[in-house]
Amino acid sequence: MKPLGPIPAGYDALNGELVIAGQTVTALVAKAGGTPLFVYSRELLDQRVATLRAAMPKRLALHYAVKANPFGPVLEHMAGLVDGFDIASGGELAIVQAAGIDPARVSFAGPGKRDAELEAAIAAGATLNLESEGEAARALGIANRLGITPKLAIRVNPEFDLKGSGMKMGGGAKPFGIDEARVPALARHLIAEGVDWRGFHIFAGSQALSADAIIETQRQTLALAARLAEESGAVLPKCNLGGGIGIPYFPGDEPVDIAKVGAALAERFADLPPVLQGTAFVMELGRYLVGEAGVYLAQIVDRKESHGEVYLVTDGGLHHQLAASGNFGTVVRRNYPSAIATRYGAAVEEEASIVGCLCTPLDRLADKGGFPRADVGDIIAIFCAGAYGASASPAMFLGQGPAREMLV
Ligand SMILES: *Cc1c(COP(=O)(O)O)cnc(C)c1O
């Protein structure tokens, strides 16, 4: 048997069923009208943000990275919890606006912004995190034509990266941000052009579980921001420190020691160089805020054996949960936390693989895990499905279409 990842806190059993926000999975599936289904818990979103706020210095604002989960009701709920939103496309701008979020709370990073996207963001009053000199020139031209003073920040491509991070976003050549050495010249140019200067965005990586690595990256980020601000000849209005706080997905993963990260940041904030003393600091997080608050539910439609191995074939699959199948940036496939949701808490009786309904060997949600015996009609749960599930999986593959989603 292969181990399964750790089930996040906050999930209970009732009458042998998994309960999410006080409701059994059977009740939730009935309410949603069927499976496959993503369920997101308001209560767990609230708790996560509250825990993080309590650990971090008051001065640190909190942004939500929309790409982790752009489901409308989740965005609307997050709007009451966080200070701002980070988007990465014109499509996400439209989604955020549809959720009633004030674009003044939004910053837009991401390479390859098209003119129409720049124009929509400038017209709406969102902040652009510029990814290149070329993009800066296009943004200035568009703002000029519109007669609007644009809110512009520079995304910096730092020379360091976040150690142990799942996805490296800084260090060396990158399509993201502007190399450190070229930042001061562009910043001086933008300030001279009379833009609404919004400072720097420095994102060095994602999905880190080591508090020490995050602390070290924040130290480097603040030092870099100070140096670049000095060289730009202006105090820094705002600095987005990135994020990178990960969640445990796999056997042996431990949650980040948030209290330690917050204490270290508070110490740094108490000892800032003059050029950063008036700076507004922001941290942007996606998966840490929403990942553990979501569960993916699918129903077993077939139970079969092949060469002595048990397959629980579900109506879901990698088209909704690409990451759980091990095909979204992982090198070695390991099991996400998973369970038979309609036999929740029952003893392990057999080794089985939970697979999807796609005709590809990649479509495996749990590989040779230990589960209670499950049959056709039972519902399986894949945890840590609140981030990069529905939004980062090829829902149209094999004509399957998207899963249902609900916030409870
Ligand atoms: C993806 C992304 C995030 C969110 O990353 P998480 O790992 O989900 O926290 C934040 N900022 C930027 C610039 C990103 O590209």
Side-chain angles (χ1 to χ4, degrees):
M1 263 179 228
K2 296 187 183 171
L4 303 171
I7 293 177
Y11 294 99
D12 308 309
L14 179 69
N15 302 331
E17 280 203 37
L18 171 64
V19 169
I20 306 168
Q23 301 177 62
T24 63
V25 289
T26 308
L28 289 166
V29 167
K31 206 174 272 183
T35 49
L37 169 67
F38 285 95
V39 182
Y40 312 117
S41 159
R42 274 195 186 86
E43 191 184 339
L44 293 180
L45 293 172
D46 292 348
Q47 281 173 12
R48 178 49 55 99
V49 173
T51 307
L52 188 67
R53 294 259 196 210
M56 293 296 151
K58 290 280 166 292
R59 178 170 182 174
L60 184 71
L62 183 59
H63 280 200
Y64 172 53
V66 170
K67 76 177 190 285
N69 187 332
F71 182 50
V74 168
L75 288 183
E76 286 165 29
H77 189 69
M78 295 304 283
L81 298 177
V82 300
D83 305 301
F85 290 81
D86 292 308
I87 57 167
S89 72
E92 285 187 349
L93 177 62
I95 290 172
V96 160
Q97 288 180 293
I101 292 163
D102 179 0
R105 299 169 72 191
V106 172
S107 58
F108 180 3
K113 299 184 194 76
R114 267 97 0 133
D115 284 354
E117 295 176 294
L118 294 173
E119 178 165 340
I122 291 168
T127 296
L128 289 171
N129 294 335
L130 299 169
E131 304 270 351
S132 75
E133 287 93 345
E135 192 175 277
R138 286 190 293 128
L140 286 173
I142 290 166
N144 209 18
R145 174 164 57 72
L146 296 175
I148 295 174
T149 304
K151 296 178 184 167
L152 301 181
I154 295 175
R155 178 164 178 185
V156 180
N157 174 23
E159 288 303 319
F160 51 85
D161 59 19
L162 175 53
K163 299 283 175 283
S165 94
M167 233 172 259
K168 296 212 184 324
M169 301 293 277
K174 286 284 177 300
F176 313 109
I178 296 169
D179 294 351
E180 277 181 31
R182 301 212 306 269
V183 167
L186 180 60
R188 281 195 299 271
H189 173 61
L190 295 175
I191 293 165
E193 288 283 327
V195 309
D196 184 352
W197 173 234
R198 308 307 294 161
F200 300 131
H201 172 214
I202 307 175
F203 181 77
S206 194
Q207 181 50 23
L209 293 175
S210 156
D212 291 335
I214 294 167
I215 289 167
E216 172 58 13
T217 294
Q218 290 179 340
R219 185 192 66 75
Q220 290 175 299
T221 301
L222 288 168
L224 176 61
R227 179 166 64 75
L228 295 177
E230 292 282 358
E231 291 173 11
S232 307
V235 293
L236 195 63
K238 192 159 184 167
C239 183
N240 182 329
L241 301 171
I245 301 176
I247 59 173
Y249 285 103
F250 302 118
D253 283 357
E254 296 284 345
V256 177
D257 185 345
I258 289 296
K260 189 173 179 185
V261 173
L265 197 55
E267 260 177 55
R268 301 242 166 264
F269 282 177
D271 188 27
L272 289 170
V275 77
L276 296 185
Q277 270 169 13
T279 304
F281 292 101
V282 182
M283 178 185 246
E284 54 176 0
L285 294 169
R287 82 182 73 229
Y288 184 75
L289 299 184
V290 296
E292 291 176 294
V295 181
Y296 177 64
L297 302 173
Q299 190 162 36
I300 299 174
V301 293
D302 198 8
R303 175 192 165 94
K304 56 190 284 189
E305 286 187 24
S306 172
H307 291 265
E309 292 185 18
V310 175
Y311 289 92
L312 305 172
V313 186
T314 69
D315 60 2
L318 70 74
H319 53 299
H320 303 144
Q321 263 300 314
L322 188 65
S325 76
N327 294 293
F328 189 60
T330 36
V331 181
V332 180
R333 195 207 173 288
R334 288 174 295 167
N335 284 323
Y336 264 44
S338 44
I340 309 298
T342 39
R343 297 169 194 271
Y344 199 65
V348 170
E349 291 169 310
E350 65 178 8
E351 180 184 294
S353 293
I354 299 173
V355 300
C357 51
L358 306 187
C359 47
T360 158
L362 301 178
D363 194 8
R364 192 172 285 244
L365 297 174
D367 186 35
K368 298 181 180 166
F371 297 105
R373 191 196 147 95
D375 261 303
V376 172
D378 274 317
I379 294 166
I380 67 93
I382 308 291
F383 295 88
C384 297
Y388 306 110
S391 71
S393 303
M396 293 317 292
F397 193 30
L398 282 160
Q400 292 288 344
R404 293 172 168 84
E405 294 179 271
M406 70 193 291
L407 176 70
V408 291

